[in-house]
């Protein structure tokens, strides 16, 4: 029996052709020891919705819909959000990730008496091709200043729980950002500009990383999306170290594309802004073919970091 004094939570799960992983993600969501109602909205992107997933179990409903917005992850998230207008809180979970027991109760408990908290995250467990590493949240809160300086890998979208009415100020997930890359980062930055983001320390979601990562080799998309973020958020230009971090990522992607001249131009800009930025030497090594981009990315992921 659900406790009607606790807020209703809608969980948006975008998916595309990963039925086994999706069912594993759903099982973990529905098994949460949360006494309030959970309404799961599975958004099928560029694939036919699987009606066999539908459930009307009181307090643990599952709906399936198609993505009616732009194709891709941002449109899928927005389609799900639009379908859950009655929920007080919205959570995200990607179809290849798994919530751990106690996750939802801990986050709602942290938020229910603090209306200034717009969003919470948790620590994560990174599953890199079956090898697991705990990554507790490194900070109790995220601010615009801290996010600009460090994306904070632990603040993964599959840990997001946020107030639905905060969207009145924040707006939808950005569907214009090239390829949907870093749409979660952009969302965090916009939330931080209006309300508090609180991070629970404990790792409460298993995040699957690996060689099949959707963005692992989409280098052109990464270049375009990171330049888009620099233009959209002027806070980067106000922090030399923060701008150098983004430019270092662009330099690495250009090196991975084999565009040596463009890569070295971006390497120069990166080093000029912050000489100690660690990504530009890696971009140099990739440009000179001392290491492959895939190998550098694999090593970064094994240490729980992206490029």
């Amino acid at each position: 029996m659900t406790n009607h004094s606790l807020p209703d939570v809608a969980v948006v799960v975008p998916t595309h052709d990963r039925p086994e992983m999706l069912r594993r993600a759903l099982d973990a969501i529905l098994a949460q020891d949360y006494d309030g109602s959970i309404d799961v909205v599975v958004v099928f992107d560029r694939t036919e919705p699987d009606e066999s997933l539908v459930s009307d179990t009181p307090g643990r409903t599952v709906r399936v819909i198609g993505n009616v917005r732009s194709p891709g992850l941002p449109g899928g998230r927005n389609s799900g959000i639009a379908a859950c207008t009655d929920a007080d809180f919205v959570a995200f979970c990607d179809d290849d990730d798994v919530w751990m027991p106690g996750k939802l109760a801990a986050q709602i408990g942290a938020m229910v008496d603090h209306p200034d908290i717009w969003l919470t995250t948790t620590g994560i467990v990174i599953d890199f091709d079956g090898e697991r590493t705990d990554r507790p949240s490194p900070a109790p809160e995220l601010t615009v200043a801290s996010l600009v300086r460090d994306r904070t890998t632990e603040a993964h979208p599959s840990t997001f729980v946020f107030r639905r009415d905060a969207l009145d100020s924040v707006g939808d997930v950005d569907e214009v950002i090239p390829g949907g890359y870093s749409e979660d980062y952009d969302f965090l930055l916009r939330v931080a500009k209006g309300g508090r983001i609180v991070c629970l320390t404990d790792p409460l979601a298993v995040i699957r990383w690996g060689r099949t990562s959707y963005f692992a080799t989409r280098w052109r998309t990464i270049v375009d999306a990171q330049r888009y973020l620099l233009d959209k958020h002027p806070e980067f230009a106000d922090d030399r170290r923060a701008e150098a971090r983004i430019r270092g990522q662009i330099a690495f992607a250009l090196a991975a594309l084999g565009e040596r001249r463009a890569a070295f131009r971006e390497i120069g800009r990166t080093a000029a802004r912050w000489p100690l930025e660690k990504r530009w030497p890696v971009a140099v090594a990739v440009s000179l073919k001392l290491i492959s981009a895939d190998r550098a990315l694999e090593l970064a992921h094994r240490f729980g970091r992206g490029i």
Side-chain angles (χ1 to χ4, degrees), residues 242-260:
E243 183 180 346
R245 179 175 66 85
I246 300 295
R247 291 199 177 279
Q249 292 170 344
I250 294 171
F252 179 87
L254 289 168
L257 285 167
E259 298 181 12
R260 182 180 296 188

Side-chain angles (χ1 to χ4, degrees), residues 229-251:
L229 283 176
L230 286 176
D231 290 339
K232 182 174 181 178
H233 296 284
E235 293 83 2
F236 286 109
D238 295 333
D239 186 321
R240 295 177 58 197
R241 185 173 174 181
E243 183 180 346
R245 179 175 66 85
I246 300 295
R247 291 199 177 279
Q249 292 170 344
I250 294 171

Side-chain angles (χ1 to χ4, degrees), residues 5-55:
S5 66
L6 288 172
D8 296 338
V9 180
V11 185
V12 176
V13 184
T15 189
H16 178 75
D17 288 341
R18 293 199 280 204
E20 292 183 5
M21 291 182 182
L22 171 62
R23 287 184 179 274
R24 185 181 63 172
L26 287 178
D27 287 345
I29 294 168
L30 297 173
Q32 288 291 301
D33 50 351
Y34 177 67
D35 291 335
S37 293
I38 300 175
D39 176 31
V40 185
V41 182
V42 184
V43 185
F44 285 80
D45 179 49
R46 293 162 292 172
T47 187
E48 193 68 23
D50 181 359
E51 297 292 340
S52 70
L53 299 175
V54 173
S55 173

Side-chain angles (χ1 to χ4, degrees), residues 83-103:
C84 54
T85 56
D86 294 334
D88 303 299
F89 291 83
V90 177
F92 289 159
C93 185
D94 292 347
D95 63 358
D96 57 341
D97 298 330
V98 175
W99 287 3
M100 298 174 69
K103 175 187 180 296

Side-chain angles (χ1 to χ4, degrees), residues 2 21 32-33 39 56 73 82 87 100 105 111 116 129 133 140 173 181 184 193 209 218 222 252 254 259 288 297 300:
T2 56
M21 291 182 182
Q32 288 291 301
D33 50 351
D39 176 31
D56 58 1
L73 193 53
M100 298 174 69
M111 299 177 75
D116 59 331
D129 292 341
T133 305
V173 177
Y181 182 77
D184 53 323
K193 292 176 184 179
W209 282 11
R218 296 185 66 195
I222 292 171
F252 179 87
L254 289 168
E259 298 181 12
L288 297 178
L297 191 63

Side-chain angles (χ1 to χ4, degrees), residues 110-134:
M111 299 177 75
V112 70
D113 294 325
H114 300 278
D116 59 331
I117 300 176
W118 282 13
L119 185 149
T120 59
T121 72
T122 74
I124 59 176
V125 178
I126 293 175
D127 183 335
F128 184 83
D129 292 341
E131 185 178 319
R132 294 194 172 193
T133 305
D134 283 2

